[in-house]
Amino acid sequence: MTVTVAAQYADGRQRYGAVPVAADRAGASFTVTDAPAVVAGPVQAEVPKSPYGVRAPEGDLSSAVGKFLAA
C-alpha cells in the first residue's frame, strides 16, 4: 500500500511524497517499507455550476440554515 503525504514549507511551497507502507490486519499499526518518492501533487477538479439559484454567505451557517428552512 502507498500513502501520499504533503509537506508545506515556511515559504508556502508544498511537496508531495508517496510512502510505501505495510499495515497489520487490524489496521492498528503500520511500518514504512521503503524510502518515499517525490510525486506530483493533486490537480484541482472542475466544480460544476450549482443548480441552485440562492447562494448562502460562505461561513455563515445560521444564515444558510435559515434560508434552507425558509425554502
Side-chain angles (χ1 to χ4, degrees):
M1 166 178 20
T2 302
V3 177
T4 302
V5 296
Q8 184 171 8
Y9 295 93
D11 64 2
R13 291 180 302 137
Q14 286 187 334
R15 296 195 79 180
Y16 297 88
V19 182
V21 297
D24 67 356
R25 287 186 180 264
S29 65
F30 67 93
T31 185
V32 176
T33 59
D34 204 354
V38 176
V39 295
V43 295
Q44 185 171 357
E46 288 188 35
V47 178
K49 183 176 166 78
S50 174
Y52 304 104
V54 177
R55 292 191 50 96
E58 188 173 329
D60 187 1
L61 182 59
S62 62
S63 174
V65 171
K67 287 184 178 188
F68 174 78
L69 294 175

